[in-house]
């Protein structure tokens, strides 16, 4: 799978924002969603409206986000189970006894988890992975973190291509890895892929040292984000903070 599978190239105002601005905005927005009291149902509706306004500017179809948000299905299932397994006071809903605390806990997981995933997808859709790493570098993120992320993005597709070639070779030799009794051969293939990747990593590291690698990636040049671009980019996060603060004050 390509590292850019979640990126949607475009020329919207959100796409043109510096990556460091979008990273800070997304992080702050998620913090505001998490800090919102679970009983403030109206606040989560306003958070969603802010996100929908950003989508309207980005011009990415909502269906694109919905398909990729399926990654949170396990958490959704947990959220639906909690009302029936939770303790504390119980109430009847359509003739079914449910736990009040369990229902609130399930709603908390569902609302905050979904909004967090959608905010992350919005950031990924409008920012190339390479630009995300550059934005983290400009934000003075730990050097080791940005180095690992950059190398992972560079070589994830190389390793995936290696895995596809190995699978093609196995199929050409009569191995069809679709049956349970062939799991051992598949496991051996995964182990071989690990060894090849490890050896490739050693060769790449030696090549980098031979070219003067100092342990830090160069920060790509950037014109910088002025106060106006920071203010424009952080507007959704400021609105989310306003909603969160109001919910905390009134709940």
């Amino acid at each position: 799978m390509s590292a850019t599978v979640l990126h949607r190239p475009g020329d919207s105002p959100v796409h043109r924002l510096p990556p460091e601005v979008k990273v800070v905005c997304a992080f702050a927005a998620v913090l505001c969603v998490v800090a919102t009291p679970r009983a403030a149902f109206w606040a989560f509706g306003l958070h969603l409206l802010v996100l929908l306004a950003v989508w309207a500017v980005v011009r990415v179809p909502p269906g694109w986000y919905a398909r990729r948000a399926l990654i949170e299905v396990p958490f959704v299932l947990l959220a639906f189970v909690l009302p029936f397994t939770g303790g504390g006071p119980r109430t009847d809903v359509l003739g079914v006894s449910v736990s009040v605390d369990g229902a609130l806990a399930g709603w908390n997981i569902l609302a905050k988890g979904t909004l967090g995933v959608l905010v992350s997808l919005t950031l990924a859709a409008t920012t190339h992975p390479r630009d995300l790493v550059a934005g983290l570098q400009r934000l003075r993120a730990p050097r080791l973190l940005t180095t690992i992320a950059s190398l992972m993005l560079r070589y994830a597709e190389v390793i995936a291509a290696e895995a596809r070639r190995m699978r093609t070779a196995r199929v050409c030799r009569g191995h069809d890895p679709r049956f349970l009794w062939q799991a051992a051969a598949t496991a051996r293939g995964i182990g071989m892929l690990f060894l090849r990747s490890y050896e490739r990593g050693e060769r790449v590291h030696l090549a980098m040292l031979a070219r003067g690698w100092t342990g830090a990636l160069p920060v790509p040049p950037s014109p910088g984000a002025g106060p106006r671009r920071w203010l424009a980019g952080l507007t959704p996060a400021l609105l989310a903070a306003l909603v969160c603060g109001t919910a905390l004050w009134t709940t």
Side-chain angles (χ1 to χ4, degrees):
M1 181 180 291
S2 172
T4 61
V5 67
L6 294 178
H7 178 55
R8 296 268 302 195
D11 193 38
S12 70
V14 179
H15 283 84
R16 294 194 298 269
L17 282 173
E20 59 268 27
V21 176
K22 289 183 279 188
V23 169
V24 172
C25 179
F27 182 73
V30 170
L31 284 182
C32 292
V33 170
V34 172
T36 302
R38 64 184 184 180
F41 304 108
W42 58 270
F44 294 101
L46 291 181
H47 285 314
L48 181 59
L49 285 178
V50 173
L51 190 57
L52 289 175
V54 174
W55 289 358
V57 176
V58 172
R59 296 190 293 274
V60 174
W64 184 90
Y65 298 103
R67 289 190 298 273
R68 285 152 182 81
L70 293 177
I71 190 175
E72 68 160 345
V73 166
F75 301 97
V76 173
L77 295 177
L78 174 63
F80 278 105
V81 169
L82 285 177
F84 305 101
T85 60
R90 305 186 73 84
T91 186
D92 289 337
V93 178
L94 299 177
V96 179
S97 177
V98 297
S99 167
V100 175
D101 292 338
L104 287 175
W107 160 254
N108 193 51
I109 293 174
L110 180 63
K112 296 181 179 180
T114 300
L115 286 170
V117 169
L118 294 178
V119 170
S120 301
L121 287 172
T122 305
L123 175 64
T126 57
T127 314
H128 194 280
R130 181 177 59 251
D131 296 331
L132 275 177
V133 175
L136 290 173
Q137 288 179 293
R138 298 187 191 110
L139 291 172
R140 303 293 190 270
R143 186 175 64 181
L144 181 61
L145 174 65
T146 56
T147 300
I148 292 175
S150 180
L151 293 177
M152 180 187 69
L153 291 173
R154 288 174 184 267
Y155 291 101
E157 191 168 353
V158 175
I159 295 174
E162 181 76 17
R164 288 193 294 269
R165 288 193 296 269
M166 290 175 62
R167 184 184 183 280
T168 301
R170 292 200 308 268
V171 172
C172 291
R173 289 167 173 81
H175 176 249
D176 190 6
R178 293 185 299 177
F179 303 103
L180 183 60
W181 56 82
Q182 294 175 319
T186 302
R188 286 194 292 270
I190 294 174
M192 182 59 66
L193 178 63
F194 172 79
L195 292 176
R196 290 187 179 184
S197 302
Y198 187 83
E199 292 171 353
R200 185 192 299 273
E202 287 187 328
R203 293 195 299 271
V204 170
H205 184 246
L206 291 175
M208 293 167 66
L209 292 177
R211 290 166 173 80
W213 169 251
T214 61
L217 293 171
V219 180
S222 171
R228 290 185 178 181
R229 303 192 78 182
W230 273 104
L231 179 60
L234 291 178
T235 297
L238 294 175
L239 293 175
L242 178 61
V243 172
C244 177
T246 305
L248 290 171
W249 180 265
T250 58
T251 301

